Amino acid sequence: MRTARTAAALAGAVAWIALMAGPVHGHALLRSSSPASNAVLDDPPSEVVLTFSEAPDPSLSQVRVVGPDGADAAAGPLRSDAASPERVRVPLRPLEEGVYAVSWRVFSSVDGHVTAGVFAFGVGTAVEGAAVPQVAEPDEPAPDPIEVGGRFLLYLGLSLLAGTAWTSAIVFGGPRAAGRWTLSLATAVSVAGAAAIGIAQLRASGGAPAVFLATPIGRAVLLRVVGSALAGAAAVSASRGRLGRAWLAVSGGLAAATMLVHVASGHAGAGPIVPLTVGSQWVHFLAAGIWVGGLAVLLGGLREGVSDGAGAVRRYSATAAAMLVAVAVTGVHRSVVEVGSWEALWRTRYGLLVVAKVVGLLGLAALGALNRFRHVRVAARGDLSGLRRVGRAEVVLGVAIAGVVGLLTTLTPPRGDVPAPPVEPVAASGSDFGTTVRVRLAADPGSPGLNRFEVRVVGFDDGGPVEARRVGLRFEPPPDADAAPSTLDLEEREPGTWTAHGPNLTVDGTWRVTVVVERGARGVEVPLELTTRCRSTPIRAPGQPTLHDVEIGGGRTVQGYADPGRPGSNEIHFTFFDAEGNEMSVGGFVQIGATRRGGERVRTDVRQFSPGHFVSVADLSRGTWRFDVNASTIHGERLNACFEEVL
């Protein structure tokens, strides 16, 4: 009956925290901007405003606005919005007509992580088809091994200090003289871990040490180091026997306070109900420390020999059961808040690491249950061998889980009140004629305008990164397109991976992109075809084909649809409208084509219904189709638009 009541209470608590869970943000992700990406403004803006999911630290963040002439368009430094710390503003000098590139690299004042990105907007000029200023790609560092290792060490050290305070006071009834070297090692480990986190965050910030330490994240680093050192010193003092119980209380309080500082300067500090998210994460950390760290202390005490080993085991077992419940309840709460969906649990690195952590904790619970319901009873008869053996396995598994958590806390949680993640980049792969290298080219977002290009170069046979002196791209526009060829040099970001931002995809269609790989005196070329992504706004109405609205610059639009939009014979319609919404006369040539993903392009005969309305007929199979229209006005202006639809 008692077990049933406990299970019911635990289920009720889990249900409550699932209902209470709100969105949370990990890292300062861009939520919105003014001007928006690829916006076309009639009047020049007086400032650029960026809103993030977490408050950036203005002293360690950068936002650049580059004009058509390549000069900095900012009229003053970056500043935070007093009413909304998540928003930063950059004042602008009077802007002339043209396209402007905005690059940002911000350091979160909440968790110390760095995010970066680039977008463009136009003043009196559409971004598509225009020359976009080239800006250096801002560096968004990957998880730093130093930070991952530092978090791992901090978790181990603080867990052992918290476990020592609790287990010594509750299980053994007071401090033990033995284990002084273990406590000294735990202190050194936690201090080293806190220092490593600070070094990694300082490197990521790119700021001077004095500036970094004056920020909330810098102060948190100092508090971690000082708190860990003082907690360890108090624990060592307790082991010497002078005012032992008082020193244990001080050590446990300082370890718990340091845990709280660490939690508040991480993902939990960005939640919508900060006391709830921070409190839940703090209890999770503290309970896990008492459970696993306390077990290590218990095993050490049993090895040294105690007068009442069986009693100590029973007392620890009761404490461990309570800590298990606390870890389970708070762990479910944090997982629901951070991950947000079953899909994210299985399709993101963060979610998979949460799964790994849960599996590890279930393993700990199983080992703990084996000890509690079997070996504790055996220990009452004086046989501690089974408990020691299973307990050592628990400690080893707990250390492994700490390593998973160290990596987990450096990644961005998939749940957040931020725009939906962008679609996958447009990509193409191929190899050179001599089959010496393979390349994969990706363009993000893959639509006309400013794109981030990434080229991965690997050996044809071994698949390993290829060393190169230079990697560049040569762009040839689609046939009959009013666009010029161009080139783009890439920078090596990591072995075998080269990236750059560029406006080289100026029009819709299939571009021939040649990847040039120079390796010393030798070089190879890999020809690829890259088809831009259609950007259209679908308009759906019951019983009607989906209408796709496409902006083509200057306030003009093209509306397209496939009727009936099912496999078989379809009519493909495109209608041109001017800025006032009136049908626009197109007096030149018009071509309409259909391309099935992974298949060939189908050109069709075009009929004109009215001055700006054109239609063609095509027999289409099941799959994803892209529909293009290429037209010219009587004045020779080229007009291109496309939309995609699944039949």
Side-chain angles (χ1 to χ4, degrees):
M1 178 64 94
R2 180 179 301 174
T3 303
R5 286 198 299 268
T6 302
L10 178 58
V14 169
W16 178 79
I17 59 178
L19 292 174
M20 288 294 292
V24 69
H25 322 289
H27 302 43
L29 304 177
L30 183 66
R31 298 178 60 186
S32 63
S33 67
S34 177
S37 177
N38 292 322
V40 181
L41 309 178
D42 294 329
D43 299 318
S46 60
E47 62 180 359
V48 168
V49 182
L50 305 179
T51 303
F52 295 90
S53 57
E54 294 176 4
D57 193 301
S59 64
L60 296 173
S61 301
Q62 297 176 343
V63 177
R64 290 192 64 213
V65 183
V66 180
D69 56 357
D72 193 348
L78 170 74
R79 66 179 188 274
S80 293
D81 190 314
S84 179
E86 295 81 11
R87 185 176 297 129
V88 295
R89 301 177 180 272
V90 179
L92 302 176
R93 58 176 170 79
L95 303 185
E96 300 177 351
E97 184 175 299
V99 175
Y100 294 80
V102 180
S103 67
W104 50 270
R105 185 183 190 275
V106 299
F107 182 85
S108 171
S109 64
V110 178
D111 59 21
H113 292 128
V114 174
T115 56
V118 177
F119 67 91
F121 67 90
V123 177
T125 303
V127 176
E128 295 185 12
V132 179
Q134 292 197 26
V135 295
E137 181 181 5
D139 177 31
E140 181 175 325
D144 190 334
I146 293 179
E147 183 176 2
V148 175
R151 291 176 181 272
F152 170 67
L153 294 177
L154 183 68
Y155 297 147
L156 289 184
L158 289 180
S159 294
L160 189 54
L161 290 173
T164 296
W166 185 277
T167 303
S168 296
I170 304 300
V171 175
F172 292 130
R176 301 187 59 77
R180 200 172 301 155
W181 284 105
T182 302
L183 291 174
S184 299
L185 178 62
T187 304
V189 165
S190 58
V191 170
I197 294 172
I199 291 171
Q201 291 179 333
L202 172 62
R203 287 172 42 179
S205 73
V211 175
F212 171 76
L213 292 175
T215 67
I217 295 299
R219 290 192 291 270
V221 168
L222 293 177
L223 288 174
R224 286 191 192 100
V225 171
V226 173
S228 298
L230 293 178
V236 172
S237 297
S239 69
R240 293 179 181 274
R242 298 192 302 269
L243 301 175
R245 287 182 177 273
W247 281 120
L248 281 178
V250 171
S251 177
L254 286 170
T258 306
M259 289 178 172
L260 181 59
V261 169
H262 177 73
V263 166
S265 59
H267 293 156
I273 309 176
V274 173
L276 176 62
T277 54
V278 169
S280 176
Q281 186 68 24
W282 178 57
V283 171
H284 187 74
F285 189 0
L286 182 59
I290 293 173
W291 176 14
V292 181
L295 177 59
V297 175
L298 174 69
L299 295 176
L302 294 178
R303 186 176 62 250
E304 298 160 8
V306 293
S307 58
D308 184 18
V313 169
R314 287 195 302 272
R315 290 188 290 274
Y316 168 79
S317 181
T319 299
M323 295 303 104
L324 170 60
V325 173
V327 169
V329 172
T330 54
V332 170
H333 172 247
R334 296 299 296 139
S335 297
V336 170
V337 171
E338 300 281 14
V339 179
S341 69
W342 289 109
E343 183 179 14
L345 190 65
W346 297 107
R347 293 193 177 184
T348 64
R349 279 200 302 165
Y350 190 97
L352 290 174
L353 284 173
V354 168
V355 172
K357 178 185 173 184
V358 169
V359 170
L361 289 175
L362 289 176
L364 274 180
L367 292 173
L370 178 62
N371 262 340
R372 178 175 176 82
F373 296 111
R374 181 177 179 180
H375 294 135
V376 169
R377 296 174 182 174
V378 176
R381 298 193 296 269
D383 183 3
L384 300 175
S385 59
L387 185 139
R388 290 190 182 116
R389 184 173 61 254
V390 175
R392 285 194 295 268
E394 283 188 73
V395 172
V396 170
L397 184 55
V399 171
I401 294 173
V404 172
V405 175
L407 178 58
L408 183 68
T409 52
T410 64
L411 300 179
T412 305
R415 174 75 174 263
D417 186 18
V418 296
V423 293
E424 289 295 317
V426 172
S429 301
S431 61
D432 64 309
F433 180 76
T435 62
T436 60
V437 300
R438 300 180 190 269
V439 302
R440 181 183 186 274
L441 166 65
D444 187 10
S447 52
L450 185 66
N451 278 270
R452 180 184 186 273
F453 297 95
E454 179 179 284
V455 173
R456 174 73 172 163
V457 186
V458 299
F460 187 89
D461 296 319
D462 60 13
V466 168
E467 293 185 4
R469 180 173 59 85
R470 172 184 170 271
V471 173
L473 301 176
R474 191 167 65 240
F475 297 84
E476 298 177 29
D480 303 323
D482 186 15
S486 63
T487 61
L488 180 66
D489 287 331
L490 309 180
E491 295 181 0
E492 189 172 22
R493 308 299 294 184
E494 59 185 59
T497 301
W498 298 70
T499 65
H501 281 84
N504 305 75
L505 301 179
T506 54
V507 297
D508 272 314
T510 300
W511 287 73
R512 184 178 177 85
V513 184
T514 302
V515 181
V516 181
V517 181
E518 296 183 2
R519 305 171 64 186
R522 299 181 297 111
V524 296
E525 295 188 352
V526 181
L528 303 172
E529 286 192 348
L530 196 70
T531 302
T532 57
R533 187 189 309 282
C534 296
R535 291 193 299 179
S536 64
T537 302
I539 304 172
R540 297 179 175 87
Q544 300 294 324
T546 300
L547 185 67
H548 297 265
D549 194 71
V550 184
E551 295 184 4
I552 57 175
R556 298 170 299 179
T557 60
V558 177
Q559 290 183 349
Y561 62 93
D563 187 13
R566 298 188 297 270
S569 180
N570 278 261
E571 289 187 346
I572 306 164
H573 293 255
F574 284 98
T575 308
F576 294 81
F577 295 92
D578 60 23
E580 286 72 38
N582 302 315
E583 188 174 319
M584 183 176 67
S585 176
V586 179
F589 77 91
V590 175
Q591 294 178 335
I592 294 177
T595 307
R596 187 176 184 273
R597 183 176 295 176
E600 296 183 358
R601 178 180 173 85
V602 178
R603 288 197 174 183
T604 59
D605 294 330
V606 178
R607 291 178 291 145
Q608 186 172 11
F609 273 8
S610 59
H613 186 177
F614 302 87
V615 64
S616 64
V617 178
D619 191 27
L620 307 176
S621 59
R622 187 178 303 277
T624 301
W625 286 84
R626 171 193 170 105
F627 303 101
D628 294 88
V629 60
N630 300 300
S632 68
T633 67
I634 56 176
H635 304 294
E637 182 183 8
R638 303 299 295 268
L639 303 173
N640 304 295
C642 67
F643 67 91
E644 294 180 348
E645 193 162 325
V646 179
L647 304 184

